[in-house]
Amino acid sequence: MSTPYPFTAIVGQDDLRLGLLLNAVSPAVGGVLVRGEKGTAKSTAVRALAALMPEVPVVPGCRFSCDPGSPDPACPDGPHAEAAGVSRAARTVELPVGASEDRLVGALDIERALSEGVKAFEPGLLADAHRGILYVDEVNLLHDHLVDLLLDAAAMGASYVEREGVSVRHAARFLLVGTMNPEEGELRPQLLDRFGLTVEVSASRDTDERVEVVRRRLAYDDDPGGFAARWAEEEGALRERIAAARVLLPRVVLGDGVLRQIAATCAAFEVDGMRADIVMARTATALAAWAGREEVSADDVRQAALLALPHRRRRNPFDAPGLDEDKLDQTLDEAGPREDGSDDDDPDPGPDGGGDGGGGGGVPPQADGDRTPPSASQSDDTPSPAPESAPDAPGRPAGGEQQPVAAAEPFRTKMLSVPGLGEGAAGRRSRARTEHGRTTGAVRPQGALTKLHLAATVQAAAPHQRARGRAGRGLVVRRDDLRQATREGREGNLVLFVVDASGSMAARQRMSAVKGAVLSLLLDAYQRRDKVGLVTFRGKEAEVALPPTSSVDAAAARLESLPTGGRTPLAAGLLKAHDVLRVERLRDPSRRPLLVVVTDGRATGGPEPVALAARAGRLHRSEGTASVVVDCESGYVRLGLAGELARELGGTAVTLDELRAESIAGLVKDVTAAGRAA
């Protein structure tokens, strides 16, 4: 086994270390989510934490780590007779992003269960992580069905494995630690709320600190054992401090005054539910125990808020996590003790002697409080873009390019789906064969059986009972009789936006409405677990503003800063989109694309621009790319060019008004409806 990097040797990252240590002191805090760019010691710190955790007493031979002092009465390896326990080190169990359901919760031998009535159960990672750490790297990329299983286990403290009426249950209480790079996509709100704390990490910009990071890492790589030995004394001292804080924790007093501050803070920041209040109370108590105090102070409450509330403040997927610290201080002052001699003018120092702010906590404050989301409507004070006839108007760069305009308010869109039956990653958009969903049939299993089709299995075994010498009530089942259920659910798609940013879109001030429509479709893509990409075209060329990614936030940011102006190279935009889709088909052939072209259909610049655009559209059609054209043409006189483009693409055209889910213009649009009609 390789020697882990010492926790105390990590340079900087005070928030990250504090969040992990508080969970080591009080696992009831509920875990920690570490958000940050790559290469910032996220995984290193999590793996190093296990070495600081106290040893765990377990029942000898129990695969589910039962506590000998209070064994689980429903343990599959039980019941356990009274016996002396043995101690082992706390485990850090890593959940791979591509893990299967059986690897996570465990596998049940259906063949033996049907033929012998035996619950032959092979434990999964949740059993291994019981009373330890469950570490999920890139937790934001975890498949939805695995996220659901994690939510259930985290909420109930137990894991249930169900296979056609055969059930196995075991305890699964663990410290959940997740790391993620926000550029790769955000978490589902349900899982986000399950993490007790969140911390933001980033690489230091201090030259001396960066030098020290490199120096220590090189020393560790050259001699891991020797490097760890040099930090053994610091590791031992930190381990003893954690143990002392755990002993002190039950004696820490959470007074009514600080409890009122906690409740007032959660109410002031309008967090959903009551979990934030509970997590803040537990975090503040752990902070006091970590500092060696038996009473929670106002500073503890403040730091607990910075750790427990930022990820619960998001009102939509494009809001940046964070807190307005001025508002936080004002709320704490207003809810604090009155001038009756019990104020906190001279509070105790924080966990690391830092006083106000202590060891950091939470995320850096936003410069202007809560950031205005990119979906916000243009205010009355924002000047309208200059008309196209005034190239030298103030605020407009030379060359016909206009400054970016704000997006209009987003709205709920109609469902756009890819026709046919796919086999891509689980999501919420198009029909697909999936591991979860309604049962549509049965097939012979290829490999391990995961979803038994009971009726088909019985039907396959029934004709052979006499030949197999059946005697009595039991059904004689062989491996060849087993049938795997085929299920139909929904998949996530690659939604590639091709956005017209030319001068014709900026004229009549349509770009704000166009951005609002694209932002609405991005919100829809976030909810349906799609990948998204953004191609824009204007002037003389097209560019990939955002390569396909799971980060819808990144697409919204690029859209917000999108300038407009110039000619309309529609063909270039479609050809650039074709190049992007060609590469993505090689990278991920199972994920089907949906091409969304946002334009008024006009094409200018170069020889025969309309004919070139039509040929580019037919190229997409020949490859079976599902497409929809969002017609942005406005005014009383309409040329219908977007509709013609949709016919060339083999898709359908919808206007901005028809895109709204509440529109009465028609039913849900299938993107090939127009193609079939043609």
Side-chain angles (χ1 to χ4, degrees):
M1 181 177 178
S2 61
T3 303
Y5 192 92
F7 190 89
T8 50
I10 296 173
V11 179
Q13 306 297 9
D14 294 338
D15 292 353
L16 170 59
R17 291 187 293 152
L18 178 62
L20 293 172
L21 289 172
L22 291 178
N23 276 275
V25 171
S26 176
V29 166
V32 59
L33 173 65
V34 186
R35 298 165 47 93
E37 58 196 33
K38 53 187 176 291
T40 49
K42 300 188 298 293
S43 300
T44 299
V46 175
R47 296 187 178 106
L49 179 66
L52 302 176
M53 301 285 284
E55 290 191 337
V56 178
V58 297
V59 173
C62 178
R63 297 175 298 168
F64 301 88
S65 302
C66 279
D67 187 346
S70 56
D72 182 6
C75 176
D77 284 355
H80 298 297
E82 292 186 7
V86 296
S87 295
R88 62 162 176 77
R91 292 173 178 164
T92 296
V93 177
E94 296 191 29
L95 173 61
V97 171
S100 65
E101 179 180 338
D102 284 347
R103 185 71 187 97
L104 177 62
V105 301
L108 189 63
D109 191 331
I110 299 296
E111 185 176 358
R112 292 188 63 190
L114 288 177
S115 59
E116 304 175 26
V118 175
K119 293 183 180 180
F121 181 68
E122 184 65 29
L125 295 177
L126 291 181
D128 293 342
H130 179 47
R131 304 175 67 200
I133 301 171
L134 180 61
Y135 171 47
V136 188
D137 193 14
E138 297 181 336
V139 63
N140 51 324
L141 303 183
L142 202 62
H143 288 302
D144 275 4
H145 69 284
L146 297 182
V147 170
D148 292 334
L149 293 170
L150 272 180
L151 290 178
D152 291 342
M156 298 184 294
S159 175
Y160 292 84
V161 183
E162 302 280 351
R163 293 290 189 274
E164 301 297 337
V166 181
S167 176
V168 174
R169 174 211 168 274
H170 65 83
R173 292 183 295 275
F174 45 81
L175 169 58
L176 181 61
V177 180
T179 59
M180 61 174 283
N181 183 348
E183 295 178 356
E184 297 172 337
E186 281 294 344
L187 276 174
R188 284 173 53 186
Q190 296 94 326
L191 184 58
L192 196 63
D193 188 51
R194 293 293 183 187
F195 286 98
L197 311 179
T198 183
V199 295
E200 291 274 346
V201 296
S202 60
S204 173
R205 299 297 182 257
D206 181 81
T207 301
D208 292 337
E209 193 167 291
R210 295 175 74 97
V211 167
E212 186 62 23
V213 169
V214 175
R215 181 182 291 117
R216 293 186 186 183
R217 185 69 208 194
L218 293 177
Y220 170 77
D221 291 340
D222 289 342
D223 183 10
F227 184 82
R230 291 196 293 275
W231 290 90
E233 184 176 348
E234 288 82 352
E235 291 281 287
L238 189 58
R239 192 178 297 110
E240 291 176 1
R241 185 177 177 185
I242 292 173
R246 282 193 167 195
V247 172
L248 179 62
L249 185 67
R251 303 200 303 269
V252 175
V253 177
L254 185 70
D256 289 342
V258 293
L259 191 57
R260 180 172 293 277
Q261 285 182 312
I262 291 171
T265 301
C266 293
F269 285 100
E270 300 178 347
V271 295
D272 295 330
M274 295 297 298
R275 182 175 283 114
D277 303 62
I278 297 171
V279 170
M280 271 191 66
R282 290 172 174 167
T283 305
T285 304
L287 281 163
W290 179 246
R293 290 182 274 104
E294 295 188 4
E295 187 171 355
V296 177
S297 70
D299 278 350
D300 296 329
V301 175
R302 185 184 191 279
Q303 194 153 28
L306 291 172
L307 290 166
L309 296 188
H311 59 304
R312 296 182 167 91
R313 277 280 298 140
R314 294 180 59 142
R315 313 315 297 180
N316 69 62
F318 304 143
D319 286 342
L323 290 182
D324 181 345
E325 294 200 38
D326 291 336
K327 180 179 178 180
L328 174 61
D329 292 333
Q330 181 181 354
T331 302
L332 292 174
D333 289 342
E334 292 175 352
R338 300 293 181 261
E339 295 181 0
D340 55 0
S342 59
D343 53 14
D344 286 327
D345 289 339
D346 186 20
D348 291 332
D352 294 314
D356 187 22
V363 298
Q366 303 298 315
D368 56 350
D370 292 334
R371 183 176 70 87
T372 302
S375 60
S377 299
Q378 187 175 7
S379 67
D380 294 336
D381 296 333
T382 304
S384 300
E388 196 169 15
S389 59
D392 298 325
R396 179 176 180 179
E401 180 179 300
Q402 296 187 10
Q403 293 287 358
V405 298
E409 196 69 27
F411 51 84
R412 190 165 63 92
T413 66
K414 279 187 169 67
M415 170 91 165
L416 303 174
S417 62
V418 177
L421 194 63
E423 296 181 347
R428 300 179 182 177
R429 185 173 296 278
S430 305
R431 294 174 53 224
R433 297 183 185 92
T434 58
E435 294 185 4
H436 300 270
R438 65 184 183 90
T439 301
T440 58
V443 296
R444 290 181 181 271
Q446 301 294 325
L449 179 71
T450 56
K451 298 292 183 182
L452 177 73
H453 195 298
L454 183 58
T457 299
V458 172
Q459 186 177 8
H464 308 290
Q465 296 305 295
R466 185 185 297 275
R468 294 172 182 173
R470 174 187 172 187
R473 302 172 59 184
L475 186 68
V476 181
V477 179
R478 303 283 171 81
R479 174 69 184 175
D480 290 343
D481 302 326
L482 299 179
R483 294 294 183 269
Q484 176 88 13
T486 58
R487 299 172 183 262
E488 182 179 310
R490 295 280 175 177
E491 67 177 0
N493 298 110
L494 166 59
V495 182
L496 181 61
F497 294 93
V498 182
V499 180
D500 185 347
S502 65
S504 66
M505 299 291 287
R508 300 178 187 155
Q509 302 177 11
R510 283 180 291 175
M511 203 59 198
S512 178
V514 169
K515 284 188 176 182
V518 178
L519 189 66
S520 303
L521 290 167
L522 285 171
L523 281 166
D524 183 67
Y526 168 81
Q527 294 164 354
R528 301 191 187 281
R529 316 304 293 168
D530 296 316
K531 288 181 69 175
V532 297
L534 180 62
V535 173
T536 63
F537 59 93
R538 64 186 180 90
K540 297 182 180 180
E541 60 184 13
E543 65 173 348
V544 181
L546 182 71
T549 176
S550 296
S551 178
V552 180
D553 300 50
R558 300 293 172 87
L559 179 71
E560 183 181 19
S561 60
L562 178 65
T564 58
R567 295 180 180 271
T568 312
L570 177 56
L574 295 174
L575 292 175
K576 181 67 72 174
H578 178 267
D579 292 341
V580 172
L581 294 181
R582 177 177 53 82
V583 173
E584 287 302 309
R585 285 190 178 98
L586 296 175
R587 290 178 176 171
D588 190 358
S590 64
R591 188 181 289 269
R592 297 186 296 165
L594 172 61
L595 184 67
V596 179
V597 185
V598 185
T599 181
D600 56 9
R602 300 182 184 183
T604 59
E608 300 182 342
V610 176
L612 286 175
R615 289 175 58 187
R618 290 193 293 271
L619 179 61
H620 283 281
R621 182 176 184 173
S622 67
E623 296 185 353
T625 302
S627 58
V628 60
V629 178
V630 179
D631 185 358
C632 302
E633 194 173 25
S634 61
Y636 294 105
V637 179
R638 302 197 180 198
L639 302 178
L641 298 175
E644 294 180 9
L645 175 62
R647 284 189 288 274
E648 297 290 356
L649 286 165
T652 187
V654 295
T655 65
L656 290 176
D657 289 336
E658 290 173 336
L659 191 62
R660 295 178 180 269
E662 63 271 17
S663 171
I664 60 174
L667 299 175
V668 174
K669 302 279 187 181
D670 187 284
V671 296
T672 59
R676 291 198 299 267

